[in-house]
Amino acid sequence: MQSNLARVVGAGAWPPKRWHLLVLIRRLELLAGEIDVLLCDHTGEISATLDRRVMQAFSKAICEGSVLLLSEVVAVPALRGSSRPRLLISSRSVKQVFTVGEASESAEL
């Protein structure tokens, strides 16, 4: 079974489901004490909230342009009138982070 952002959005958010995804961080912002990110893959975009422990565990790697390998990440209904689900990313869900520098080094090999 494929897991991509189009399937997450198309599946709806109720009941909450868990997904395995490979996503790019397009935007990262600190809003009202929460870490808000816009994630994308080849099928679309979705908003997400990062748990503070993710930033503590991967402080130098989590930035715009980084790629996250996520396992068992939860999609929940969005708040404030949006019809799109939102991902809640815990430190347990982040299996690996690929930084922009790592991609550049691999391309040079």
Side-chain angles (χ1 to χ4, degrees), residues 3-13 17 19 21-28 35-50 68 70 73-78 82-89:
S3 286
N4 58 47
L5 295 180
R7 290 184 61 93
V8 174
V9 172
K17 296 176 181 67
W19 298 89
L21 300 165
L22 183 67
V23 293
L24 173 83
I25 299 175
R26 179 167 282 176
R27 187 184 71 230
L28 186 138
I35 303 162
D36 187 58
V37 293
L38 179 64
L39 303 174
C40 65
D41 71 4
H42 66 286
T43 65
E45 296 180 338
I46 195 166
S47 294
T49 300
L50 283 178
L68 305 177
L70 304 172
V73 67
V74 178
V76 296
S82 175
S83 61
R84 296 172 65 90
R86 182 174 189 83
L87 297 179
L88 297 179
I89 302 173

Side-chain angles (χ1 to χ4, degrees), residues 29-98:
E29 297 176 329
L30 182 61
L31 297 172
E34 290 188 356
I35 303 162
D36 187 58
V37 293
L38 179 64
L39 303 174
C40 65
D41 71 4
H42 66 286
T43 65
E45 296 180 338
I46 195 166
S47 294
T49 300
L50 283 178
D51 184 86
R52 291 184 184 280
R53 289 172 283 207
V54 173
M55 291 302 288
Q56 292 169 351
F58 300 99
S59 61
K60 298 199 186 301
I62 301 287
C63 62
E64 293 176 356
S66 294
V67 174
L68 305 177
L69 177 60
L70 304 172
S71 177
E72 299 288 320
V73 67
V74 178
V76 296
L79 301 175
R80 299 177 204 94
S82 175
S83 61
R84 296 172 65 90
R86 182 174 189 83
L87 297 179
L88 297 179
I89 302 173
S90 68
S91 57
R92 187 174 39 201
S93 298
V94 180
K95 298 304 175 191
Q96 192 161 358
V97 179
F98 303 96

